[in-house]
Amino acid sequence: MLNVGVIIKLEPDFSEGNVSYNSDGTLNRAETKNILGPHSAVACNAAFYCKVKYGAQISIGTMGPPIAETALRQAQVLTNAEELNLYSDRLFAGADTLATAEVLKNGVGKMFGGGIIDIVFSGHRASDGETGQTGPQTAWKLGYTFLGNVIEFNIDSDRKVVIAKRLISLQGMDTIIEEVESPLPVFITIDPSYRSIYNTVSQRLLLNKFRKEGRKRSEDYRQFLKVYTSKNLDLDPKRVGLQGSPTIVYRVEKIPRARTNRKTEIIDPSNPNNIMPLITKIIQLARGK
Amino acid sequence: MEQFDAVIIGGGTAGLSALKKLSDLNKSAILIEAGNQMGTKNVSGGILYSKRDPSTTIYNVEDVFGSDFVSSAPIERLIKKYYLHATSKSKIFTLDLTPLHEYKTNFGYSVLLNRLVPWLAERASESAEKHGGGIITGVHVSDIQWIDDKTIVTTNELEEFQAKAIIAADGVNSEVAELTAARHKFTPEELYFGVKVIIKLPERIIEERFNLDSSEGSAHLFAGDITSNLIGGGFLYTNRETLSLGAVYHYDSLLSNPITPSQLINQLIENSLISEYIKDEVPLRNDIKDLPKEDQLKIHLSASKLMKTYDELRYKYFSKNSKELVESGKFTNIEEIRTKIDSIKKDLIEKYGVQFVNNYVELEYSAKLIPDGKRCRMKKPFYRNILFIGDAAGRGIFIGPKIEGLNVGIDDAVRASIAISRSLENSNFGSDYMGKYYESLINESPYTNDMKKIDKDYLTLFLDIVRNISTGFIDPRYSFVLNLMKNSGFRGIAVGLANILGYDKILPIVESKNTYIQLPISLANRLGNIFTSSYVPAIPTLSERIAKLQYNDDTDSHIIVKNKKSEFMKKLVLLCPTKCYSSEEGEVILQHEGCVECGTCSFETDWKHPKGEKGIIYRYG
Ligand SMILES: Cc1cc2nc3c(=O)[nH]c(=O)nc-3n(C[C@H](O)[C@H](O)[C@H](O)COP(=O)(O)OP(=O)(O)OC[C@H]3O[C@@H](n4cnc5c(N)ncnc54)[C@H](O)[C@@H]3O)c2cc1C
Ligand code: SF4
C-alpha cells in the first residue's frame, strides 16, 4: 500500500466579495474569510490521483491555530483522506519557514502511526507570504529526495520509483521540462499548472466514488482528526516557534513602483486607414527600433 | 478494452432518468456527460409536469426518482395559476388558462435545471453505483463504430470502450443522430427557438407581488405586439427566489424575419406589466475618481464585501428561512435583521456613495433550440443498438407557448430502459429485437399516440375559456366554432368539426400570425386595461449579458462554417444569441468563444458540442 502525506495551509481568500482591508491598507484578517490555499489544493489533487490510480491512503497535515481545521476539512473533501493532523501549539507562533519545517518533519513522522510515508506533497508556495522554502526545508529535514515544480508524475510500484516531469523556468532562459526518476520516498512540491488526468471509464468511476466518500467523511471530519502539540510531536521547544526561527523580519516594505514612462495613443479600429501605420509601428518595435 | 452493458450519452433529465431506471432494473449502466458538472449544459423554461391518463400508463418523474420527489428535490414552486396576457402597447387583457395547465396533470413545478439536474444525478448515480455503473462528466462522445460484433464508443477524453446497448439522450442537437444518420437534421420548420433570462427577486417579494401562498407559483404567458410579428410568445415563471423570463419562437418565423434574440427579451422587459413584475430596489455604485488607483480599488473591494453582506442578509430576511438567523443566535428577533439591513444600507449610501434605485437584476441569459414533436419526432427512434430519447428523438410537445419536453423525455427514458433491460437478459441487441420493442413501447405512450388528441383537447379547453368573449373581432374561422361553443349542447359538434377539418388543417390555423399576434392584439385593444410602469428598467446590453456568462474556452472551434456566403449564414449575424457571427465583405466569420451551444447555426454548419468540460457553463438553466 502506498502511503501519501500532504502538507497544506489555511490562507486568506483574496477573491472579490470575501477579502477586506483596514483603512491603512493592510489586510483585515478578522473580516476576511479563510480557505484552503489554492496551492495546497493542487497538492491535494496530486495526492488524490495517487489514491485513484495506485490505491494510496492519504494523511493530511497542517501547522496552525485551531481554525486551521477548516483547511483540513476542505482538503479531506478533495482527497478523501484517511487521516487529518493538526499541529497546533502556542509555542509554534511566530515560526519562520525553518521552524515550521521542524514541526512538519515530526508531523510527517507521526502519520499512519509512524509508518513510512512514500510521497509527501505540498503546494509550491502560499499566497499570503513568500514562504516557498517550507517544502524543500521539510524535505531536507526528513532526508527525502526533493522534487520541485512537478507537473506530472507516475509511480512504478514494482521498482518503487517515481517518474516525474518538472517545469523549470529560470530568468532569462527558455522554460524547460525535465523528466526525472527518483526512488521513493520523495517530497514533491506541485506546480500550479498540474492537472490530474484520468483517462479510462473505470478510473472515472473510482474517482466519483472516492469524491463522494470524501465529502461524506468531511461532514464528520473530527472523527479523522488528530491534534498534536509540541509535546506529543516530541519537539524541542528551542527549535520551534519564534525561538527556533533564525529569520528576523525587520520590516516589510512596499516596493515603490517605478514611474512608467509610456506614451499611449488611442487608435480607432473602425477606421481601416489607422491599421497599416499601427502594424508598421509594431514591426519597428519588434525589430528593436 | 473496457466493456459496459448500457451506455447513456447525455446527462439531461432524459439521460438521467434512463440511468436511474436501468439501475433500478438491476442493470449496470454508465452515463457520459460533456459538461464538467451536471446541469451546466441544460436549459429549460421550465415547468416540469407530472401527468396522468386513466386509460394508459405515463412514467413520471416521481415514478423514476421516488415518491418523495416533491418533498426532497430542489424544485421551485408548485404552479397553481396559468395566465395568458394579450398585449397591445400599454394595454393588457388577461385570460386565465389554468384549466389548460391542469389538463391531465398531477402537478407542474417550476424548475431550474442547474439545481434539479445535480439532484437527479445524485439519486441516479447512487442507484447506478450499486451495479458497478455511474456518471462520468466532462467527457464528449465523438464517435460510435461497429467493428465485427463490437460497438465501440470514442470520446475526446478517454480510452475507447465497448457498449452492448446505447441510449442517445444528447439533446436536440444530437451528434449521435448525426453520426449514425438515424434521422435527418431537424429543419427550421421543425424547431422552436427559446431564449431566456433569469431575474433575481427575494422570495417574499415574489409571493406578495404575484399574490401567492408560500411555495406556490404562477405562470404567465404573453402574446400580441411584444412578439415583434413573430409566431411565438413570451413566458414568465415564478421560481423560489428568481423569475424565468423568456420567449419561444418558431424558428422559421425567425428566419423569415431575423431579429437579435436578446432584443426579443428586451421587448418583454419593456412591457409595463412585465417591468412591474420584475422590479426591485437595486444598489447602484458611483465612481470614485479623486483617489489614487490603489485606494479606489480597496474602496471598491470593501464596498463589494458590504454589498454582498447586504444582499445575502436581505435575501435571507425575505425568505422562508429568515427564522434561521434568529434560531442560530445571530439575531434576537426578525426586526433586528431589518434594522441591520437598514444600517448597512445607510453605510453603503453614506460611506461608499451607493444609491438605491428601482431596477431589476438579471442573473443569466440563455438560449436553446426545442424540437416540435408534432413535426419532427422520430418515427423509428432507434438505430442498430442505439435508442433515442427526449430531445434527441425530437419529442417535445408544443401547444402554443406551452411546452412539455421534460416529462416526455422522462417517459421515453423508462421505455428505453425496459427495452434494454430485456435485451440484456436475453443477450439480444439486434434492432429487430431491441429497437422494434422500444418503438412499440413508445407507441403505447400517450405522448406519442395522443399528440394529435392533446392538441384537440387543448383547443377545446381554449375555446371553452374564450367562449364568453365577444367574438365580433375574432377571425371568422374561429367565430363559427366559438358560437357553437357558447352553447354547451353544440360543444361536442364544435370539437367534431375540428376533427373533420382535420389535424393538418387545424395546425396552420392554430399556429398562424392570426392566432399568435392579431388575435391577442385585438383582444388587448378592445378589452384590455392600461398598465403603466413606475420606472424605466436599465436593460443590460448583449455584451453585458455575455460578460456575465461563464465559459471554459476551447482554443479549437467546435463549429465549422461550410458556406460563408450562404443566405442562411448571413441571417445568423442577427440570429446567433451571443453574436458569434459577424459579416465582412459578404462573408460570415465565426468567433466561437461566446457560443452558448443553442444549435441555431447547426443547420448549415459542421456542428459539434465542445469537447468535455469546454464551452458554456450555465448556473441556472
Ligand atoms: C426556453 C425553453 C423553455 C422550455 N420550457 C419547457 C417547459 O416549460 N416544460 C418542459 O417540459 N419542457 C420545456 N422545454 C423543453 C425541455 O427543456 C427539453 O425538452 C429538455 O430539457 C430536454 O432534455 P434532454 O435530456 O432530452 O436533453 P438536454 O437537456 O439537452 O440534455 C442533453 C445532454 O447531453 C449532453 N451531450 C450532448 N452531446 C453530447 C456528447 N456528444 N457527449 C456527451 N454528452 C453530450 C449535453 O451536454 C446535455 O447535458 C423548454 C426548453 C427551452 C429551451
Ligand atoms: S454559434 Fe451557433 S450554436 Fe453557438 S450560440 Fe451562436 S447560433 Fe448558437
Side-chain angles (χ1 to χ4, degrees):
Chain A
M1 160 90 71
L2 192 72
N3 286 338
V4 167
V6 193
I7 305 294
I8 60 155
K9 193 164 181 289
L10 184 75
E11 292 170 21
D13 181 355
F14 286 103
S15 61
E16 183 165 353
N18 293 316
V19 68
S20 175
Y21 291 94
N22 296 318
S23 49
D24 63 356
T26 54
L27 185 70
N28 180 346
R29 286 198 182 253
E31 279 290 308
T32 300
K33 250 177 65 182
N34 284 304
I35 51 162
L36 175 71
H39 296 286
S40 300
V42 183
C44 286
N45 290 341
F48 188 59
Y49 177 74
C50 296
K51 172 164 243 159
V52 175
K53 207 153 171 204
Y54 308 107
Q57 56 172 352
I58 298 174
S59 180
I60 316 253
T62 189
M63 184 187 95
I67 197 213
E69 273 182 34
T70 329
L72 287 171
R73 184 184 187 168
Q74 286 172 16
Q76 191 171 37
V77 174
L78 296 181
T79 57
N80 186 23
E82 277 69 24
E83 198 179 84
L84 306 176
N85 310 284
L86 176 66
Y87 317 125
S88 191
D89 196 318
R90 292 234 174 98
L91 283 180
F92 299 162
D96 68 1
T97 55
L98 197 69
T100 305
E102 181 68 15
V103 174
L104 296 178
K105 175 199 74 180
N106 283 22
V108 170
K110 295 277 179 201
M111 285 175 172
F112 296 125
I116 279 284
I117 303 300
D118 300 292
I119 310 180
V120 180
F121 289 104
S122 85
H124 91 144
R125 66 181 195 89
S127 50
D128 63 340
E130 292 307 317
T131 52
Q133 329 66 310
T134 315
Q137 284 169 341
T138 313
W140 167 68
K141 284 187 181 246
L142 281 166
Y144 280 26
T145 308
F146 176 77
L147 302 176
N149 293 83
V150 168
I151 55 168
E152 195 186 310
F153 66 91
N154 279 299
I155 295 158
D156 185 334
S157 9
D158 294 339
R159 289 168 53 225
K160 285 206 161 299
V161 294
V162 56
I163 301 119
K165 287 190 180 149
R166 305 178 52 218
L167 189 73
I168 302 176
S169 36
L170 294 172
Q171 225 169 15
M173 289 209 267
D174 286 343
T175 301
I176 53 167
I177 291 171
E178 182 190 65
E179 192 165 322
V180 291
E181 196 179 289
S182 159
L184 299 173
V186 289
F187 192 111
I188 290 179
T189 58
I190 289 288
D191 193 82
S193 65
Y194 168 84
R195 294 285 173 275
S196 308
I197 292 165
Y198 303 100
N199 60 1
T200 67
V201 172
S202 323
Q203 276 174 21
R204 295 286 182 112
L205 291 174
L206 210 53
L207 172 128
N208 291 346
K209 178 174 165 242
F210 288 148
R211 277 220 179 112
K212 211 179 249 180
E213 239 172 64
R215 280 197 297 271
K216 198 145 195 149
R217 281 182 172 173
S218 77
E219 281 167 20
D220 205 6
Y221 71 100
R222 288 222 165 85
Q223 203 187 311
F224 302 86
L225 179 70
K226 291 187 186 133
V227 182
Y228 292 91
T229 60
S230 67
K231 245 205 199 116
N232 49 22
L233 280 178
D234 313 320
L235 283 161
D236 176 354
K238 284 205 279 302
R239 305 186 73 164
V240 300
L242 203 57
Q243 272 205 69
S245 300
T247 320
I248 296 170
V249 179
Y250 168 62
R251 197 164 70 199
V252 180
E253 293 208 19
K254 272 195 205 165
I255 302 171
R257 224 178 291 145
R259 272 189 86 78
T260 44
N261 199 10
R262 279 180 305 214
K263 268 193 231 143
T264 311
E265 192 183 329
I266 293 169
I267 290 158
D268 176 8
S270 59
N271 181 354
N273 294 335
N274 289 341
I275 306 302
M276 232 16 241
L278 175 70
I279 293 170
T280 321
K281 213 169 220 169
I282 292 173
I283 293 171
Q284 276 172 1
L285 285 172
R287 290 198 178 129
K289 285 186 189 158
Chain B
M1 195 181 294
E2 294 182 336
Q3 193 190 3
F4 300 91
D5 284 354
V7 173
I8 300 155
I9 302 169
T13 43
L16 285 168
S17 303
L19 181 66
K20 179 79 170 77
K21 185 65 194 179
L22 270 168
S23 309
D24 289 346
L25 291 168
N26 297 321
K27 300 296 175 295
S28 170
I30 58 166
L31 182 149
I32 310 278
E33 164 58 40
N36 190 21
Q37 277 166 7
M38 298 301 289
T40 54
K41 296 280 183 191
N42 314 96
V43 180
S44 189
I47 301 176
L48 170 58
Y49 282 99
S50 163
K51 310 286 283 190
R52 61 170 177 264
D53 189 335
S55 61
T56 177
T57 311
I58 300 180
Y59 301 103
N60 285 310
V61 64
E62 70 276 19
D63 303 321
V64 180
F65 288 92
S67 52
D68 64 336
F69 174 80
V70 163
S71 58
S72 308
I75 41 185
E76 301 292 316
R77 288 177 184 272
L78 175 64
I79 302 298
K80 287 283 226 185
K81 281 284 178 191
Y82 203 84
Y83 300 102
L84 174 69
H85 305 281
T87 68
S88 175
K89 300 208 175 71
S90 60
K91 278 189 145 185
I92 289 158
F93 178 71
T94 301
L95 279 167
D96 185 348
L97 295 189
T98 307
L100 274 189
H101 164 70
E102 288 172 344
Y103 170 80
K104 294 188 174 174
T105 295
N106 298 319
F107 60 72
Y109 271 92
S110 53
V111 295
L112 292 170
L113 289 185
N114 190 254
R115 306 261 153 88
L116 178 63
V117 166
W119 185 89
L120 299 176
E122 186 68 33
R123 284 248 159 143
S125 61
E126 229 166 67
S127 303
E129 280 157 18
K130 289 184 195 145
H131 307 285
I135 296 175
I136 293 156
T137 57
V139 172
H140 172 250
V141 173
S142 56
D143 201 7
I144 300 171
Q145 282 182 354
W146 288 267
I147 298 172
D148 304 330
D149 56 345
K150 296 188 187 87
T151 307
I152 297 165
V153 181
T154 310
T155 68
N156 294 111
E157 293 77 17
L158 304 178
E159 289 172 11
E160 287 178 346
F161 55 90
Q162 254 174 269
K164 289 185 188 157
I166 293 176
I167 290 184
D170 51 345
V172 61
N173 305 305
S174 170
E175 280 166 66
V176 178
E178 187 90 4
L179 285 168
T180 55
R183 62 159 162 82
H184 68 272
K185 203 176 221 173
F186 296 141
T187 62
E189 297 76 47
E190 297 170 330
L191 293 163
Y192 276 82
F193 172 84
V195 55
K196 186 176 91 162
V197 287
I198 300 289
I199 290 163
K200 194 171 158 179
L201 205 59
E203 189 171 347
R204 278 196 283 130
I205 293 184
I206 293 181
E207 280 154 19
E208 274 165 36
R209 187 160 302 162
F210 291 87
N211 202 6
L212 302 168
D213 285 337
S214 166
S215 310
E216 291 185 348
S218 55
H220 300 257
L221 307 180
F222 299 86
D225 65 350
I226 47 175
T227 67
S228 320
N229 232 2
L230 295 165
I231 296 186
F235 63 84
L236 188 147
Y237 303 147
T238 54
N239 304 318
R240 199 171 67 81
E241 289 191 324
T242 53
L243 303 172
S244 295
L245 174 69
V248 174
Y249 290 102
H250 241 303
Y251 185 9
D252 53 351
S253 162
L254 270 169
L255 271 180
S256 54
N257 187 6
I259 174 169
T260 315
S262 160
Q263 185 58 29
L264 297 170
I265 292 284
N266 298 354
Q267 264 152 6
L268 291 174
I269 294 167
E270 280 159 6
N271 177 272
S272 49
L273 177 64
I274 296 178
S275 64
E276 280 303 302
Y277 273 151
I278 64 178
K279 181 169 82 179
D280 197 11
E281 188 188 71
V282 178
L284 181 74
R285 269 174 203 264
N286 278 330
D287 283 347
I288 355 150
K289 289 220 177 75
D290 324 325
L291 292 170
K293 271 267 152 59
E294 199 174 323
D295 294 343
Q296 276 185 34
L297 183 68
K298 278 183 181 153
I299 292 176
H300 179 91
L301 290 175
S302 299
S304 292
K305 173 108 205 298
L306 203 58
M307 277 163 79
K308 191 177 164 196
T309 313
Y310 171 81
D311 196 57
E312 283 170 3
L313 205 57
R314 178 169 176 261
Y315 268 77
K316 193 89 186 188
Y317 172 76
F318 277 117
S319 81
K320 247 200 318 280
N321 306 329
S322 57
K323 281 190 226 91
E324 281 173 12
L325 286 174
V326 178
E327 279 154 15
S328 70
K330 280 195 186 134
F331 294 88
T332 46
N333 56 46
I334 297 282
E335 261 328 288
E336 204 181 292
I337 310 175
R338 182 78 254 181
T339 316
K340 177 75 186 169
I341 295 170
D342 290 341
S343 96
I344 301 178
K345 184 172 168 185
K346 196 159 159 256
D347 270 2
L348 281 169
I349 296 171
E350 289 172 3
K351 291 194 187 146
Y352 297 100
V354 173
Q355 278 179 296
F356 285 80
V357 296
N358 274 340
N359 203 357
Y360 80 103
V361 185
E362 265 187 27
L363 295 172
E364 184 173 86
Y365 170 73
S366 57
K368 201 170 142 232
L369 290 180
I370 319 160
D372 177 359
K374 281 189 294 255
R375 296 184 162 89
C376 69
R377 73 189 158 84
M378 285 169 86
K379 303 280 177 315
K380 208 173 130 251
F382 62 90
Y383 177 81
R384 291 192 181 218
N385 51 350
I386 305 180
L387 309 182
F388 291 81
I389 67 173
D391 278 11
R395 290 178 48 82
I397 300 179
F398 273 84
I399 309 98
K402 186 173 189 296
I403 311 167
E404 293 182 22
L406 298 164
N407 49 327
V408 179
I410 293 167
D411 183 75
D412 293 350
V414 172
R415 294 171 198 273
S417 303
I418 294 170
I420 289 186
S421 171
R422 170 175 167 264
S423 286
L424 283 166
E425 278 157 20
N426 299 298
S427 299
N428 185 348
F429 303 93
S431 59
D432 278 346
Y433 186 76
M434 189 170 83
K436 279 269 162 59
Y437 181 52
Y438 171 55
E439 185 185 346
S440 72
L441 292 176
I442 279 281
N443 286 336
E444 283 167 17
S445 166
Y447 295 135
T448 312
N449 64 13
D450 287 356
M451 225 180 248
K452 293 177 183 179
K453 184 169 171 315
I454 292 169
D455 248 25
K456 282 178 210 156
D457 285 355
Y458 272 98
L459 188 65
T460 318
L461 282 167
F462 183 75
L463 294 177
D464 224 2
I465 291 163
V466 296
R467 75 176 193 276
N468 292 327
I469 299 168
S470 145
T471 51
F473 54 90
I474 293 177
D475 187 300
R477 282 178 293 186
Y478 285 116
S479 49
F480 178 58
V481 185
L482 276 176
N483 284 329
L484 287 176
M485 293 294 295
K486 279 186 178 165
N487 182 326
S488 56
F490 288 124
R491 191 153 338 137
I493 300 176
V495 177
L497 203 72
N499 281 330
I500 293 166
L501 259 176
Y503 179 64
D504 301 331
K505 294 247 173 50
I506 293 174
L507 205 58
I509 300 178
V510 176
E511 293 188 351
S512 67
K513 284 201 171 169
N514 231 315
T515 320
Y516 276 86
I517 305 151
Q518 264 75 44
L519 177 66
I521 290 179
S522 46
L523 271 175
N525 278 338
R526 297 262 192 120
L527 307 169
N529 293 320
I530 291 182
F531 267 86
T532 47
S533 178
S534 54
Y535 73 111
V536 181
I539 300 177
T541 60
L542 178 58
S543 315
E544 286 167 333
R545 283 183 171 139
I546 299 170
K548 277 197 178 173
L549 293 174
Q550 221 177 313
Y551 294 93
N552 179 357
D553 283 338
D554 190 352
T555 41
D556 302 330
S557 176
H558 55 286
I559 303 169
I560 297 165
V561 179
K562 287 195 272 198
N563 180 355
K564 293 179 181 174
K565 291 189 174 151
S566 84
E567 285 312 306
F568 175 86
M569 291 314 295
K570 282 181 192 157
K571 287 182 181 166
L572 276 154
V573 175
L574 276 176
L575 281 181
C576 168
T578 45
K579 266 206 170 308
C580 294
Y581 290 95
S582 55
S583 153
E584 218 164 88
E585 292 173 2
E587 285 203 349
V588 164
I589 299 167
L590 165 69
Q591 220 183 332
H592 71 279
E593 285 87 353
C595 173
V596 289
E597 297 152 39
C598 67
T600 308
C601 63
S602 68
F603 193 56
E604 277 192 24
T605 54
D606 185 355
W607 199 98
K608 299 205 165 40
H609 292 86
K611 286 183 223 118
E613 301 189 6
K614 298 291 181 190
I616 183 73
I617 304 170
Y618 283 125
R619 288 168 305 137
Y620 294 90

